[in-house]
Amino acid sequence: MSLYLKKHAFCKPQISEPAHFNTQVIVVIPCFNEEKLLDTLCALALCDQPICHVEVIVVLNSGLHHEQAILDQNMKTQNEFLQWKKNNTQQNITWHLIHVANLPTKHAGVGLARKIGMDEAVARFEMIGADGIILCFDADSLCDKNYLTAVHRHFFELHPTSPGCSVYFEHPLNSDEYGEEIMHAITQYELHLRYYNLCMRYCRLPYAFHTIGSSMAVRSSAYQKQGGMNRRKAGEDFYFLHKIIALGNFSELNSTRVIPSPRVSDRVPFGTGKSVTDFLAQNQKQYYTYNFNSFQLISSIVKLVPQLRPNGAELIMNLFQNSADSVLLLDWLKQEKFDDALHSMRNNSASDSSFYKRFFAWFDAFRVLKLLHFLRDHGKDNSPVMQEISNLHAADESQFSFDSDPIIQLKILRDHERMRS
């Protein structure tokens, strides 16, 4: 057993069956109170097979506090899985189900379920001495036919040094299953996700990647090095992926597609399901997102980074002293004890590159989010997402074209993103 598993695993390995010697990709699927797991399994079963063995690990889970109806649904899902497995025997895919019930109320949730499955994947790879790919998926997601082959090629041919990647995603927009209201809500929310990512790129932040739990992948060695998955009940993907991004050489996989569900959900306090639920409950017409002017202020800080090592905090103080937003920015920097942090960065950096790394370890994705919330709460009000996309387009027309129709605009942003290498 690896040192990581000895120190950090939530439980002992659950699967006794030996791993195939050529296993290089393991798909981990947390599953809770899910009625359509078989649709997800069928999507994976229909995938083109890579030149390796693939394992799929479903982590059926529930907590001490969950009501009997949920436990009954989980048992139904388990029985459906076992029957489905008997009828689906792909040569290069092995299907597993781990059923973990009575998880502690404090931690029971998607983060812990992902952790149990990803730790199990580590144990499987350790069994055969492989540094394979742990591929995260969801029990209500679908994928393109080339999903598994694209993931394998991405890591083993195109990006052999990448510790992890974000996989391209698209929510369904024309499904009769969900109805027009949900389709409108998910269009607005996905516009927000892509706008946010584009703004991070506009600011030239080194961690401008999507952090979606159903569309991420990581090498087993990187997963272990960064302490594995957390136990958060929501936002586990955001916190986890930024630990992997910090290793450097993080990548994007845009040659395939994950199709997450747009359905309403109250399982977690934020995320896609909660956002769609709130959007519908509040009878919103447009999704309100962060003010683009806030990103312009963040960009102004980032542009100063090359000069901060020789000049220190005085540079920022002088730059912002006559601007309309100076009080806001300086108050926030003081609140975050920027002077002390910068002093430490300068004293402990032997080169510009090491200073750059230390600066963005401090001004990381979490702190950027804190600054956005600070600015939102002090006058930079959230605005309709289409308005802010228009503002971003006006500031940098070379990025993408603009259309006033939300669905057309979303397709434009999708195409723009897929063209990135």
Side-chain angles (χ1 to χ4, degrees), residues 10 25 29 36 54 57 87 96 98 104 142 162-163 185 212 283 299 308 310 316 319-320 324 332 340 348 375 414-415:
F10 175 78
V25 176
I29 307 175
K36 296 189 176 182
V54 175
I57 301 176
N87 300 325
H96 301 288
I98 299 171
L142 303 175
S162 180
I212 308 294
N283 197 29
S299 177
L308 286 176
I316 284 184
L319 180 73
F320 292 135
W332 183 81
D340 293 341
N348 293 283
L375 293 171
R414 286 175 169 182
D415 290 343

Side-chain angles (χ1 to χ4, degrees), residues 320-384:
F320 292 135
Q321 65 180 353
N322 295 318
S323 73
D325 298 307
S326 61
V327 173
L328 271 181
L329 282 174
L330 294 178
D331 281 353
W332 183 81
L333 290 169
K334 188 177 297 183
Q335 172 183 299
E336 296 295 310
K337 300 181 180 178
F338 177 69
D339 281 357
D340 293 341
L342 183 58
H343 180 74
S344 176
M345 293 175 213
R346 297 175 73 199
N347 285 349
N348 293 283
S349 299
S351 64
D352 288 345
S353 61
S354 64
F355 176 81
Y356 180 91
K357 187 173 182 179
R358 287 181 181 276
F359 178 84
F360 286 107
W362 182 83
F363 196 53
D364 60 11
F366 314 109
R367 194 165 259 115
V368 166
L369 198 56
K370 285 177 66 178
L371 175 52
L372 286 170
H373 289 177
F374 176 89
L375 293 171
R376 177 199 64 194
D377 296 340
H378 292 82
K380 306 292 182 183
D381 295 341
N382 286 4
S383 304

